[in-house]
């Protein structure tokens, strides 16, 4: 479940960098919560084809995150909002900037 949420978040951040086919299948899987079989039936393709697209797109999203780190920075900003100590907030901001 944690992985599903993580990739859904990555998709929200980086979907503008994906081609239309990847966006379509990934959106059906992560946003519409359809199964691989449901997507395959809807698109008249095989379940394995859909699975391959989802896996390749996940790898691309991982690559984007490894290079750009936007999800990590977003998570750090969220944690800074929960901090009560100004000193801890400064530490989080410094970590983001580095």
């Amino acid at each position: 479940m944690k992985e599903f949420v993580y990739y859904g978040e990555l998709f929200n951040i980086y979907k503008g960098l994906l081609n239309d086919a990847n966006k379509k299948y990934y959106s059906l899987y992560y946003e519409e919560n359809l199964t691989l079989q449901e997507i395959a039936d809807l698109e008249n393709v095989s379940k394995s084809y859909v699975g391959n697209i989802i896996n390749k797109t996940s790898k691309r999203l991982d690559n984007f995150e490894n290079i750009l780190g936007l999800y990590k920075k977003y998570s750090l900003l969220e944690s800074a909002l929960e901090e009560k100590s100004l000193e801890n907030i400064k530490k989080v901001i410094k970590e983001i900037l580095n």
Side-chain angles (χ1 to χ4, degrees):
M1 182 63 169
K2 198 174 192 180
E3 183 178 306
F4 191 85
V5 172
Y6 173 73
Y7 281 106
E9 291 293 325
L10 287 185
F11 180 64
N12 286 332
I13 294 169
Y14 298 115
K15 67 180 158 189
L17 301 174
L18 299 172
N19 66 39
D20 290 339
N22 292 84
K23 277 191 251 189
K24 179 173 149 185
Y25 289 109
Y26 223 74
S27 176
L28 290 170
Y29 189 71
Y30 281 97
E31 294 178 335
E32 303 297 325
N33 211 20
L34 297 180
T35 66
L36 297 179
Q37 188 61 58
E38 289 170 329
I39 297 168
D41 293 343
L42 183 68
E43 297 296 319
N44 294 316
V45 295
S46 71
K47 179 180 173 183
S48 64
Y49 176 78
V50 175
N52 286 336
I53 295 290
I54 298 297
N55 288 332
K56 286 179 183 178
T57 304
S58 294
K59 288 178 184 174
R60 290 192 72 203
L61 293 172
D62 284 331
N63 190 43
F64 294 149
E65 179 60 19
N66 287 334
I67 294 168
L68 300 170
L70 297 178
Y71 176 80
K72 180 181 178 185
K73 290 173 184 171
Y74 177 81
S75 297
L76 287 169
L77 284 172
E78 276 188 328
S79 72
L81 289 173
E82 295 174 8
E83 287 291 339
K84 297 194 183 339
S85 159
L86 184 58
E87 196 57 41
N88 287 342
I89 293 170
K90 287 179 181 180
K91 286 179 186 177
V92 172
I93 291 172
K94 283 180 184 176
E95 186 176 346
I96 292 168
L97 293 175
N98 292 331

